[in-house]
Amino acid sequence: MFDSLTQRLNRTLKNISGQGRITEDNIKDTLREIRMSLLEADVALPVVKTFTARVKERALGKEVNLSLTPGQEFVQAVYDELVNTMGGENAELNLAHQPPAVILLAGLQGAGKTTSAGKLALHIKDKLKRKTLLVSVDTYRPAAIEQLQTLATQIKVDCYPSDASKRPEDIAREALEFAKIKGYGVLIVDTAGRLAVDEDMMAEVKTLHALTDPVETLFVVDAMTGQDAANTAKAFAEALPLTGVILTKADGDARGGAALSVREITGKPIKFIGMGEKIEALEPFHPDRIASRILDMGDVLSLIEQINDKVDVDKAKQMAERISKGKGFTLEDFRDHLEQMKNMGGVQSLLEKLPGMGEFGDQLKDQINDKKFSHMTAIINSMTPKERRDPQIIRGSRKRRIAAGAGVEVHEVNVLLRQFDMMSKMMKKFGKGGMPKMMRAMGSMMGGMGGLGKLLGR
Ligand code: GDP
Ligand code: MG
């Protein structure tokens, strides 16, 4: 995702890291390069302009931070502005409405509405635990209704049996009534799309909107269309009170123009991002995580994160002390460690920096990714303190109880215990290498060894 933008920006930013104080003069070229990178990524021109102006303002207006080189300060300005441009914080799905809370999906043909309807239903069922009903009012495209029905069956969510010979608004009315009577918490309405925004389509969506009074009206748009995505979303937002955007097919988008343009152009947040054809491939959109992925700056970025106090240095220190006293690495340490990595954004890039990862790197990387993260924490949370101290005792019935408590399969508990085992072995290895070696390891694990090493008196 966004690989080409990442490459361009990073090449540009590496050039500045050697320079002296940030002045208008010495960032001029870099700003021009950034501008080029963004234009190449198909970011909308007005967004490119405000972006570069704000980066400049941030970089020049910064208080001097002695822990950062000017290059790092500049990178931080770019990172902060990326986050800001994409909306700052994750905009959560709003379901605060008398049930059924209606979610209306609109967008052009092929944007990914039907797929996203299914993905969203799964997300709501699994994560938000609401009883959900799907309905298709796409009576134009043959098999559109069936497509949604198939997805619904696959994820075990109910789908209202739409009659393609009826008018969309009649189907919507029936489905809404049905959802009310049957006590559904959420109703997701999948609508028809056209090849381009036209009056008929707008009129139909407006009618559906008035009729169903949705709490969320989400515009579904294909990331591969770049800045056009933002412009069509804007056209829709002028006709309908959109509450947000689902950006699909980000998995295949090397450029990132849509992700960076939508918020600024429409004023509406991207709420979810589609990361593949699979039904699970929908992620809540977190501007900070996306910015971290775009600026895959490894150490520089984690150093910045550390200085921003995202890392709990005290806990890291405690853990280091305990291990050095031969107390061993516990599941609670493991959980803290997971939390810290989560706070710092992308797990993958952090894992790459973990020393010793070469040996079992790929295996671990497959097993630990952002999605599994919250599961892992949940599993550890479901254990009793005794189990956390002594995982050896976790067998058959304990495993089943932990899995049920965390809402995961038993095999995930097994995987976690195995991962924990590998981590403890790794910790032991560092232990033998003596404190300095371990400090360094912990330092880079916790986000940049510089500050932490100093803090720990190394
Ligand atoms: P609709 O016309 O808006 O309902 O679009 P569909 O849901 O039928 O999707 C059109 C195509 O896009 C299908 O082949 C989907 O599998 C594909 N698609 C949808 N979302 C994603 C995504 O996030 N990533 C990828 N790679 N493909 C997607
Ligand atoms: Mg469809």
Side-chain angles (χ1 to χ4, degrees), residues 45 78 86 134 144 146 169 171 181 261 295 319 338 390:
L45 186 58
V78 174
M86 290 186 284
L134 282 160
E146 219 170 275
E169 55 264 41
I171 302 174
I181 294 167
S261 307
L295 287 191
M319 180 161 125
L338 289 172
D390 186 11

Side-chain angles (χ1 to χ4, degrees), residues 113-114 138 141 144 147 190-191:
K113 291 180 297 301
T114 307
D138 185 354
R141 241 161 103 175
Q147 185 193 353
D190 176 25
T191 64

Side-chain angles (χ1 to χ4, degrees), residues 97-103 130-135 158-161 170-189 212:
H97 190 276
Q98 181 136 341
V102 175
I103 301 176
R130 300 284 184 95
K131 189 180 169 195
T132 305
L133 180 68
L134 282 160
V135 63
D158 296 335
C159 188
Y160 185 78
D170 292 333
I171 302 174
R173 195 179 290 115
E174 283 170 19
L176 188 58
E177 197 51 36
F178 180 83
K180 265 183 204 153
I181 294 167
K182 300 285 181 183
Y184 284 92
V186 179
L187 172 66
I188 301 177
V189 184
T212 56

Side-chain angles (χ1 to χ4, degrees), residues 106-119 138 141 144 147 151 190-194 220-222 224 246-253 273-278 281-282:
L108 301 182
Q109 199 172 78
K113 291 180 297 301
T114 307
T115 314
S116 300
K119 288 176 174 179
D138 185 354
R141 241 161 103 175
Q147 185 193 353
L151 289 173
D190 176 25
T191 64
R194 303 291 155 82
V220 180
V221 68
D222 180 345
M224 313 270 270
I246 298 182
L247 191 66
T248 62
K249 308 184 200 180
D251 51 311
D253 177 26
I273 183 161
M275 290 295 292
E277 296 199 52
K278 285 205 191 128
L282 184 77

Side-chain angles (χ1 to χ4, degrees), residues 323 327-331 333-334 337 357 360 364 388 391-392 416-432 438:
I323 297 167
K327 296 255 170 71
F329 178 69
T330 68
L331 274 158
D333 296 327
F334 191 34
H337 180 61
M357 276 297 117
F360 21 64
L364 255 188
R388 283 183 213 133
Q392 302 291 340
L416 176 116
L417 290 172
R418 247 191 344 262
Q419 280 164 350
F420 169 69
D421 198 45
M422 279 198 269
M423 287 290 261
S424 351
K425 287 202 181 109
M426 196 168 87
M427 292 296 175
K428 280 210 191 89
K429 206 168 77 184
F430 290 132
K432 277 192 209 120
M438 195 174 74

